[in-house]
């Protein structure tokens, strides 16, 4: 659970970095691609004391994002932290669900930063704009 939460966090930071790089890029393709990135890694809410990842009360309802998946994974891990008994069926089910959500979110992120970004860069090049790259 911990490793998955850290992988989700790293992907979230990478996606937010890409979103920031897309800010000055013009054109409908760039806007659509940025919207797809932002749907997977929404900007952190301001003024709520958080940093856009995790939180005391678990993941929000709605489609899985990299932040919500990380929160779910961390919540599942913390529910078992320090326990001297076997995990309950509910805790095992929460871990199974969290792993499935992580797999789905990471698959979407891999597609966006791979073929999705390559496709956007081809369109940008065709319109005489510079490519957008990840660090």
């Amino acid at each position: 659970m911990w490793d998955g939460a850290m992988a989700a966090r790293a992907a979230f930071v990478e996606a937010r970095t890409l979103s920031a790089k897309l800010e000055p890029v013009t054109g409908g393709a760039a806007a659509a691609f940025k919207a797809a990135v932002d749907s997977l890694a929404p900007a952190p809410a301001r003024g709520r004391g958080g940093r856009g990842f995790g939180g005391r009360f678990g993941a929000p309802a709605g489609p899985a994002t990299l932040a919500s998946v990380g929160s779910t994974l961390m919540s599942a891990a913390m529910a078992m932290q320090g326990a001297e008994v076997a995990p309950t069926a509910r805790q095992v089910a929460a871990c199974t669900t969290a792993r499935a959500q992580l797999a789905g979110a990471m698959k979407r992120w891999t597609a966006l930063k791979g073929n999705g970004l390559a496709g956007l860069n081809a369109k940008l090049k065709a319109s005489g704009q510079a490519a957008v790259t990840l660090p």
Side-chain angles (χ1 to χ4, degrees), residues 72-93:
T72 300
L73 289 161
M74 192 57 71
S75 293
M78 292 296 106
M80 296 179 286
Q81 183 71 22
E84 295 185 22
V85 295
T88 66
R90 183 177 174 196
Q91 290 169 327
V92 171

Side-chain angles (χ1 to χ4, degrees), residues 9 16 29-30 37 42-43 52 54-55 67-68 73-74 83-84 89 98 121 127-128 134:
R9 175 66 181 165
R16 292 307 312 149
V37 171
S68 70
L73 289 161
M74 192 57 71
E84 295 185 22
N121 282 329
S127 68
L134 283 169

